[in-house]
Amino acid sequence: MISSKKQMKFNKAHYLVFCFVFLCGIGASVALLFEERAYVDSNQKAMGADFTDKLNDALRQYTLELTSVAAFIQSNKGEVSESHFSRFAQNLMMSPGVSLFFAQYLPIDKKHEYQLQQRVLLSNPNFKIFPDGDREEYLPLTLLYPDKIPYGYDILSSQYRDLESVYLARSSYALAASMPIALPFSNVMRNKQADTIILSAPVYLPLDSRVYKLTDSVGFHGIVGAYFNVNSLLNFVAPSVSGDLFYRIADVSSDEPVWLVDSTRGAAWDEGNYETHYLSVANRQWRLDTRHSVSVWSRGHWLPAILAFLVFTAIACFLSFYTRKLSLTYFSALDAVNERIEVDELTGLSSRYHIQHTLNELIGCCEKDDKQLATLILDLDHFKTINDAFGHEIGDKLLSSVSKRLLSILPDDAVIGYLGGDAFLVLLMQDDYQDRPSLDIVATDLIKKISQSYFVEGLTLNIGCSIGLALYPEFGKDAVTLIKNADMAVYQAKTLGRATYHFYDGEMGRRFARNVRIETRLRKALQTEGLELHFQPKVDLITERCVGVEALLRWEDKELGAVSPAEFIPIAEQTGVILPLGDWVFEQAFRHIKEWEEQGITVPPIAINCSAAQLKRVDFLPNLLSLLDKYKIDPSSLEIEVTESILIEDAESCAELLRQISRLGVKLAIDDFGTGYSSLSYLKDLPFHYVKIDQVFIRDIVEDRKHAALTHAIVSLGHNLNLKVIAEGITNIDQLIMLQEFGCDIGQGYLFSKALGANTMGSDPMIVALNEQEGLDKQE
């Protein structure tokens, strides 16, 4: 039964269901929230990256235009007029807000000449290079587009704010960008905000163009410049960018960043939720921060998360209600079922589950009070026969009658249960450790009273029982062990002849453990070639010549040592290992016959013992025919020995099989004759060639007149039925003489030879003598 604590837990199950589903809803909603937040962040990153790419493309366009102007002046070898320069710049410039200039290199000795020339070209008699002052070289503004800055301004003067970029462009032969500055020329409008960028590119003339041109020693001809306001750059870029984006730009080439522009006026950057990108402008490094113009919560689509929370909450309420209703129904049904679980419906006794539970409780009581507990398993004898003869309905009613009788004859404090099949479990708790004879009396009385007749549906039925007993705490301290040991004991009681009882003891446990170990190791031996066939000669008692050999199985195990066939063969028969074991014996015997033939060794017919289980297999004869064909063996070189038991169990089918085997030319022998259910009928009707007297008669044939008389009778019977008689287990000369007097045909035993290994067959004296005789017979 389910305990009250467990029932209380089940009564709270609907709360757990509600909490679980509700928490799942919260989890799903939070997951959706995070997913939407991740989408918004990803969108913000993508927009920032797109804006950065567009800004970078615009700056690259500026640098390409400036480089084109420098290439234009260089390709014209420095001979570019103002109008020519203006037309080229007008056609080239695709970016609005950019102004171009060219400052020509001028050494000090050419200053006066340059000023006179420019006064004429510009129609300005007051033209001069400024700021004033003598310098070794000058870079006056010579070409301008559009005309927003004064001609003649020297960008090599110390007053020029981007003098550093001029030197950098001239010395590095590459494009250089200025740091953000106000408009650097002194005679135009001044801008206090540093948001102007100047790009400078050097112009160098080739060697053949320097003769009449103004250049320095390495061909430096001047500086081409382009300047633009960052706002004009953004006006060119920003229209292609979503209006949902805030941005700010800073020059971070130095330790202190110079902020160029901020679309938010600085109010939206305190939260820190923005993306930062970097781009390179000539030799300068710019930083670009971007973020959505509205908050994350304003941009996200949060309805799915809210709906998920509401749906899960509704499901939690529904499942909680349903679980509550289901648990109430379950426990009301469970209370009704528990009674049926605890009581077996067929017998009215405690069920297997309940009596095992009770056994555990009684063990606890015995341990606490230092009492003894007897566990009895009562198993009906030959119950299957009644089931098969009268049907299961009669069998069930007989079980019910046995149960009622058990209740009437056992004491009131005995616990009686039905284990299933035809087995019952009885528990007897004793106040003190009583002597074993008291339990003997209980078991004997039980067997006697259970075995009395039953009247079922007009039938008088008789059935016996066997009992196995296991005692707590001596032979088991838990329910599983006690039931297992009692079951072993009842099995032993049935082995002893049924209708008896047996107490479990330690030796029985060790014996069962060894049997299990033998079975396990035997299965492994079949795979690892741990088995071996030996062969014991059979001798004609008149000529004392070898007329056959018997294949005997030997097993030497690494863990168990030498195991006798008398021990492992019964275990193999009980566990089914006898079938693969028998196949192995047949295969090995045929293989040895083939090997001996190839070595030129003549071996008489080999007798192989065949178990009842093997003969019952429908494929026994096909397998035998397959082996004969595989090894090309003459069937006359084979004998098969069978026991009497198979003839009793299934006489008709067995008789037909033996006739088919005999027709092949294989000799047949009855093994262990006289120890089983000997019957003259199958000796008369079946095609046997030999009858084999068991060694239990031969062992005492000299000392025991009864054994001698039985042996003599078997020999006479065999001869009268035209059968040859084989005596096994001959160990001394007296036994041999008596058997010769009885007229026994063939003998086998240690007196003649022990069983020989397959490799020593060729050197055995009897086999050698047989081969020599075969040779003489062939010569004659």
Side-chain angles (χ1 to χ4, degrees):
M1 293 182 61
I2 297 180
S3 64
S4 56
K5 289 185 177 180
K6 290 184 177 180
Q7 188 166 350
M8 289 178 64
K9 289 182 179 179
F10 277 112
N11 288 335
K12 296 180 180 178
H14 61 289
Y15 294 115
L16 297 176
V17 170
F18 177 83
C19 293
F20 176 75
V21 179
F22 184 75
L23 290 175
C24 287
I26 293 177
S29 299
V30 170
L32 290 172
L33 290 174
F34 275 108
E35 183 178 356
E36 185 63 25
R37 175 60 184 268
Y39 169 76
V40 172
D41 291 343
S42 175
N43 181 258
Q44 178 175 283
K45 288 181 180 180
M47 292 179 64
D50 182 62
F51 180 62
T52 303
D53 290 341
K54 285 181 168 53
L55 186 63
N56 192 44
D57 290 343
L59 290 170
R60 188 180 295 111
Q61 181 66 30
Y62 287 178
T63 59
L64 286 174
E65 292 172 354
L66 182 62
T67 304
S68 298
V69 173
F72 168 71
I73 295 174
Q74 187 175 10
S75 63
N76 285 277
K77 300 180 181 179
E79 297 180 356
V80 178
S81 65
E82 182 179 0
S83 60
H84 194 186
F85 179 81
S86 297
R87 285 196 303 275
F88 179 81
Q90 186 176 7
N91 293 331
L92 175 70
M93 296 302 290
M94 299 173 60
S95 306
V98 180
S99 297
L100 297 174
F101 64 83
F102 171 66
Q104 184 174 322
Y105 173 76
L106 189 68
I108 190 172
D109 58 344
K110 299 292 184 178
K111 176 181 179 182
H112 181 67
E113 181 182 347
Y114 172 79
Q115 291 182 145
L116 293 176
Q117 182 182 4
Q118 289 298 102
R119 288 171 185 170
V120 175
L121 291 175
L122 297 174
S123 300
N124 183 5
N126 297 321
F127 175 83
K128 66 176 180 177
I129 296 174
F130 69 95
D132 295 332
D134 294 331
R135 293 177 285 279
E136 293 184 0
E137 48 189 7
Y138 300 87
L139 279 175
L141 299 179
T142 304
L143 299 174
L144 306 171
Y145 177 84
D147 300 335
K148 294 181 180 179
I149 53 178
Y151 288 93
Y153 185 84
D154 181 17
I155 62 175
L156 278 181
S157 69
S158 59
Q159 297 181 22
Y160 182 56
R161 295 187 180 89
D162 192 31
L163 185 60
E164 181 180 353
S165 295
V166 173
Y167 286 134
L168 180 61
R170 181 177 178 181
S171 61
S172 64
Y173 302 92
L175 190 69
S178 71
M179 63 179 294
I181 57 176
L183 195 62
F185 308 111
S186 59
N187 62 342
V188 296
M189 63 178 183
R190 300 181 181 276
N191 189 349
K192 294 183 181 181
Q193 183 179 359
D195 60 354
T196 299
I197 305 297
I198 301 177
L199 300 176
S200 302
V203 177
Y204 285 85
L205 298 181
L207 186 62
D208 58 348
S209 303
R210 300 177 190 174
V211 180
Y212 303 106
K213 302 297 185 295
L214 295 175
T215 64
D216 62 6
S217 59
V218 294
F220 176 65
H221 183 60
I223 291 289
V224 175
Y227 65 92
F228 56 88
N229 186 273
V230 175
N231 285 322
S232 63
L233 171 66
L234 292 174
N235 290 334
F236 175 63
V237 174
S240 61
V241 179
S242 172
D244 294 338
L245 190 71
F246 281 158
Y247 55 85
R248 63 177 178 177
I249 305 173
D251 185 303
V252 292
S253 303
S254 59
D255 294 337
E256 291 293 331
V258 179
W259 292 100
L260 304 175
V261 66
D262 187 344
S263 64
T264 68
R265 307 294 182 184
W269 306 103
D270 297 336
E271 301 175 12
N273 184 24
Y274 55 84
E275 307 298 327
T276 298
H277 309 270
Y278 292 91
L279 53 87
S280 179
V281 183
N283 60 311
R284 308 294 295 182
Q285 190 80 9
W286 283 14
R287 168 182 159 182
L288 179 63
D289 295 338
T290 58
R291 60 154 294 165
H292 284 305
S293 58
V294 295
S295 67
V296 173
W297 300 107
S298 301
R299 290 190 62 83
H301 300 86
W302 312 112
L303 183 60
I306 297 172
L307 288 177
F309 176 76
L310 295 177
V311 169
F312 271 93
T313 302
I315 293 174
C317 293
F318 172 75
L319 290 180
S320 176
F321 170 76
Y322 184 77
T323 304
R324 173 64 175 170
K325 184 177 180 181
L326 187 64
S327 64
L328 292 175
T329 304
Y330 166 74
F331 281 110
S332 62
L334 188 63
D335 290 338
V337 170
N338 275 336
E339 296 181 5
R340 300 183 64 182
I341 292 177
E342 294 180 356
V343 178
D344 179 70
E345 188 175 0
L346 174 64
T347 62
L349 302 177
S350 295
S351 66
R352 183 187 186 96
Y353 160 78
H354 184 247
I355 198 168
Q356 286 182 324
H357 181 74
T358 305
L359 177 55
N360 281 318
E361 292 180 347
L362 290 177
I363 289 173
C365 294
C366 290
E367 183 179 8
K368 181 180 179 181
D369 301 333
D370 194 26
K371 293 182 179 180
Q372 186 183 49
L373 178 66
T375 303
L376 294 79
I377 289 184
L378 186 149
D379 195 274
L380 301 180
D381 295 335
H382 303 297
F383 177 74
K384 184 176 182 299
T385 304
I386 293 177
N387 254 347
D388 294 341
F390 302 106
H392 289 279
E393 185 177 353
I394 296 297
D396 290 345
K397 291 183 178 180
L398 176 60
L399 288 174
S400 178
S401 299
V402 172
S403 304
K404 293 176 182 177
R405 189 170 293 181
L406 280 172
L407 289 170
S408 66
I409 61 179
L410 284 169
D412 294 337
D413 59 349
V415 179
I416 311 169
Y418 177 59
L419 294 179
D422 57 358
F424 299 85
L425 181 66
V426 178
L427 306 178
L428 295 172
M429 190 167 66
Q430 299 166 310
D431 293 334
D432 53 9
Y433 286 86
Q434 299 179 6
D435 294 334
R436 178 164 157 171
S438 63
L439 291 174
D440 289 336
I441 295 171
V442 171
T444 303
D445 188 55
L446 269 175
I447 294 171
K448 179 181 178 181
K449 292 180 178 178
I450 291 296
S451 301
Q452 294 175 4
S453 298
Y454 297 87
F455 299 96
V456 179
E457 295 291 324
L459 298 173
T460 301
L461 303 177
N462 292 286
I463 193 167
C465 69
S466 302
I467 297 177
L469 300 95
L471 301 179
Y472 169 89
E474 186 178 2
F475 296 115
K477 294 186 178 181
D478 58 81
V480 173
T481 304
L482 282 170
I483 293 175
K484 179 191 71 174
N485 292 343
D487 194 51
M488 288 185 191
V490 78
Y491 175 82
Q492 187 65 23
K494 287 182 175 291
T495 304
L496 294 174
R498 305 177 188 271
T500 186
Y501 63 91
H502 194 83
F503 281 85
Y504 176 86
D505 55 33
E507 181 59 32
M508 183 185 299
R510 287 187 291 272
R511 185 167 61 254
F512 271 83
R514 176 170 173 81
N515 290 351
V516 172
R517 189 64 177 158
I518 287 175
E519 178 192 353
T520 304
R521 297 298 299 173
L522 187 57
R523 291 184 186 275
K524 188 172 183 181
L526 284 169
Q527 301 172 354
T528 59
E529 299 183 357
L531 298 167
E532 186 178 357
L533 279 186
H534 284 202
F535 301 88
Q536 187 175 39
K538 295 191 290 187
V539 179
D540 188 305
L541 296 186
I542 304 300
T543 63
E544 296 190 4
R545 290 177 56 189
C546 181
V547 294
V549 293
E550 180 182 3
L552 300 174
L553 192 57
R554 296 292 182 263
W555 179 24
E556 183 77 26
D557 187 72
K558 292 181 180 180
E559 295 183 9
L560 301 174
V563 186
S564 169
E567 184 179 14
F568 71 78
I569 291 297
I571 295 173
E573 290 178 340
Q574 294 167 9
T575 59
V577 184
I578 193 66
L579 296 177
L581 189 63
D583 293 341
W584 184 90
V585 169
F586 269 91
E587 181 86 26
Q588 293 300 310
F590 278 51
R591 186 175 65 83
H592 287 313
I593 293 173
K594 188 67 175 177
E595 289 176 353
W596 291 328
E597 288 180 353
E598 292 174 352
Q599 295 170 11
I601 301 173
T602 300
V603 176
I606 295 180
I608 301 175
N609 289 282
C610 192
S611 71
Q614 287 177 271
L615 288 175
K616 288 179 181 179
R617 291 173 58 175
V618 295
D619 60 348
F620 177 80
L621 185 58
N623 288 344
L624 179 61
L625 293 171
S626 176
L627 286 173
L628 289 170
D629 181 64
K630 176 181 177 181
Y631 290 98
K632 309 301 180 187
I633 301 299
D634 185 355
S636 63
S637 62
L638 181 67
E639 296 177 6
I640 293 180
E641 297 182 357
V642 299
T643 58
E644 297 172 277
S645 59
I646 181 62
L647 303 172
I648 300 301
E649 294 172 5
D650 195 0
E652 185 176 348
S653 61
C654 180
E656 180 57 31
L657 175 63
L658 294 178
R659 291 188 187 100
Q660 292 176 354
I661 294 173
S662 179
R663 284 195 288 268
L664 293 175
V666 178
K667 298 293 189 296
L668 298 173
I670 299 180
D671 194 16
D672 300 336
F673 187 81
T675 59
Y677 304 93
S678 301
S679 174
L680 298 180
S681 62
Y682 55 75
L683 282 178
K684 174 177 66 72
D685 298 332
L686 295 178
F688 287 108
H689 303 86
Y690 303 98
V691 59
K692 199 169 185 180
I693 306 173
D694 190 81
Q695 61 181 335
V696 70
F697 298 106
I698 307 302
R699 185 184 305 118
D700 300 324
I701 192 173
V702 177
E703 295 83 3
D704 193 324
R705 294 178 59 187
K706 293 181 180 180
H707 280 192
L710 285 171
T711 302
H712 193 186
I714 293 172
V715 172
S716 299
L717 175 64
H719 287 165
N720 290 332
L721 294 173
N722 295 320
L723 301 176
K724 289 189 175 183
V725 181
I726 304 171
E728 62 178 353
I730 303 174
T731 58
N732 58 65
I733 193 66
D734 294 333
Q735 294 171 341
L736 175 60
I737 293 171
M738 184 172 286
L739 289 168
Q740 288 173 336
E741 292 175 353
F742 291 163
C744 184
D745 302 290
I746 300 170
Q748 179 182 349
Y750 285 175
L751 178 63
F752 306 110
S753 174
K754 293 184 177 181
L756 307 172
N759 296 329
T760 62
M761 286 289 288
S763 60
D764 180 73
M766 286 193 172
I767 302 299
V768 171
L770 177 64
N771 280 272
E772 290 176 351
Q773 185 63 41
E774 287 282 340
L776 291 174
D777 293 342
K778 288 180 180 179
Q779 290 177 4
E780 292 177 359

